[in-house]
Amino acid sequence: GMLQSELDQARKAPVVEAAATKPDERLERVRNDLDGLDVRYRRGRLSIGIDNSVTFSAGSTALKGSAGALLRRVADVVRREYPSHRIYVEGHTDTDPIAKTKGRFRSNRHLSAERADRVAEFLVAKCGVPADRIVVVGYGPFDPRDSGTSTAAKGRNRRVEVVVGDA
């Protein structure tokens, strides 16, 4: 067989032609690189789900300090694997009506769109994602990840998904 040093070299070599690899190989690579995030195919598109507890405080559209490093990791992987694809930044809320911040947000959909836009803004300004490749989508509560009504289910539904669109 191959010498260990040759194996090590092969492992370190950059993956050429990422686009030519099978989609499931690419999914595994993205999953490994974004450990802890909800990486899956949804409606035929690669989706990276980011829990709002990581990115936003309740009722706020200001990104938490802890969000920056995570969003940079997401951007690096997406830029490497999908260099010319459109990126949809999709905001999602739970079904609870807006109470505390009523004056600032007309609806959950409005809140979800503002949050998605804030993430998109960061990806452009701080992560080098071209602005013309980003689409901002506000679903509000209308595309739940979990159909349950428990506190845990609602928590899973409060998220931003970074979805890879067409090239």
Side-chain angles (χ1 to χ4, degrees):
M2 250 192 191
L3 295 170
Q4 190 58 47
S5 63
E6 284 182 67
L7 271 172
D8 291 342
Q9 281 310 112
R11 261 192 214 107
K12 282 191 207 101
V15 179
V16 185
E17 269 315 337
T21 59
K22 296 198 291 295
D24 48 351
E25 283 177 13
R26 189 147 65 170
L27 177 68
E28 281 312 303
R29 251 197 333 264
V30 172
R31 270 208 177 119
N32 290 335
D33 290 347
L34 298 178
D35 190 38
L37 293 183
D38 180 22
V39 178
R40 65 196 193 287
Y41 278 100
R42 197 153 186 259
R43 300 188 192 111
R45 290 179 161 172
L46 182 93
S47 171
I48 302 162
I50 305 166
D51 195 289
N52 272 357
S53 60
V54 180
T55 36
F56 300 101
S57 301
S60 171
T61 58
L63 280 173
K64 285 184 178 176
S66 56
L70 182 69
L71 291 175
R72 280 191 182 90
R73 270 174 61 207
V74 169
D76 286 347
V77 170
V78 168
R79 279 211 325 263
R80 181 191 76 211
E81 297 289 339
Y82 303 94
S84 55
H85 290 64
R86 185 163 279 162
I87 305 297
Y88 293 85
V89 182
E90 303 181 346
H92 299 267
T93 65
D94 58 29
T95 52
D96 290 349
I98 299 225
K100 289 196 288 282
T101 53
K102 242 196 173 71
R104 287 175 51 214
F105 306 108
R106 295 182 300 279
S107 63
N108 271 318
R109 194 189 296 277
H110 182 207
L111 171 62
S112 71
E114 289 283 335
R115 283 181 163 171
D117 188 58
R118 186 56 57 98
V119 169
E121 201 175 67
F122 186 91
L123 293 175
V124 171
K126 301 283 196 286
C127 307
V129 178
D132 62 0
R133 279 182 43 210
I134 291 198
V135 180
V136 170
V137 182
Y139 277 100
F142 302 111
D143 186 28
R145 174 89 178 87
D146 189 319
S147 58
T149 52
S150 67
T151 305
K154 285 179 180 175
R156 281 190 287 278
N157 289 333
R158 293 191 296 270
R159 69 205 189 276
V160 168
E161 295 195 16
V162 175
V163 179
V164 178
D166 304 325

